[in-house]
Amino acid sequence: MTQRIEFVYDFCSPNAFLAYKTLPTLTEKHGVRVSYFPVLLSTIFKSTNNQSPFQAFSENRQKSAYLTHDLHRFARARGISFHMSPHFPVNTKFAMRGALYAAEKPWESIYIDAIFDAIWVHGQKVDELGVLTEILQEHELPVRKIRDAMTNTEVKQKLKEQTKAAVKRGVFGVPSMFSGTEMFFGKNSMGNLGLELERET
């Protein structure tokens, strides 16, 4: 049976973007497949009394500068194109509803790539439905269906429920990755995730 990684994410996180970009290295090396689990990070923070490290250390200039430096260093070392979004912190509620609708569809990875790159490579403002529509059109995705999902109350509620389910599993931030019952948090845990996959084979 093929191993599976569950990738819990929100497009608003630069760390989730960088972890997402490194997933192909793991999947190719260990022959695993990835299931994507979209959530709302703001809801997770409220539910777990947590906050973004950029917010937590906003008054510590040295730590804030290090966090930004670490993002760029991680990307540079792996050849990942990355730029801090000029709209950070990013409102991704519409984009995440679209991600939930995209789940397990043949074009899911195209959608995830497109939105992540729009934010963290091209600096687009994805909280605007007009901008999202242009992104969907550019990548030849089913615009009308995804746009409908982005404003659909049932999809909105399902995303909330999925986020609550993630919290119950122990998720307190993103990216969080599961291999079986083992959870790995943050882009810098990708190495330990790889060791876990080796142990399981």
Side-chain angles (χ1 to χ4, degrees), residues 6 15 18 24 32 37 80 84 108 122 145 152 164 167:
E6 294 176 83
N15 287 295
L18 294 173
V32 300
F37 200 89
I80 300 170
M84 276 300 290
E108 179 183 21
H122 307 300
K145 291 181 178 180
N152 183 281
K164 290 179 182 178
V167 171

Side-chain angles (χ1 to χ4, degrees), residues 66-82:
Y66 176 81
L67 291 171
T68 301
H69 175 71
D70 184 57
L71 291 169
H72 287 282
R73 178 173 56 192
F74 186 97
R76 186 169 56 251
R78 292 158 181 80
I80 300 170
S81 179
F82 168 76

Side-chain angles (χ1 to χ4, degrees), residues 20-88:
Y20 171 76
K21 290 295 186 179
T22 65
L23 280 175
T25 301
L26 282 176
T27 58
E28 291 170 11
K29 181 177 180 180
H30 300 286
V32 300
R33 70 183 187 89
V34 181
S35 293
Y36 299 100
F37 200 89
V39 294
L40 292 170
L41 183 57
S42 59
T43 301
I44 289 176
F45 282 162
K46 290 176 183 177
S47 300
T48 60
N49 196 29
N50 194 10
Q51 58 183 329
S52 161
F54 285 97
Q55 182 180 0
F57 300 105
S58 61
E59 296 183 9
N60 185 327
R61 287 182 295 175
Q62 291 92 338
K63 184 65 177 283
S64 295
Y66 176 81
L67 291 171
T68 301
H69 175 71
D70 184 57
L71 291 169
H72 287 282
R73 178 173 56 192
F74 186 97
R76 186 169 56 251
R78 292 158 181 80
I80 300 170
S81 179
F82 168 76
H83 305 283
M84 276 300 290
S85 169
H87 309 293
F88 187 78

Side-chain angles (χ1 to χ4, degrees), residues 1 12 14 21 40 46 74 96 102 120 127 160 163 186 199:
M1 185 174 179
C12 71
K21 290 295 186 179
L40 292 170
K46 290 176 183 177
F74 186 97
M96 295 315 300
W120 301 110
D127 61 337
K160 288 182 179 180
T163 302
R199 188 186 66 79

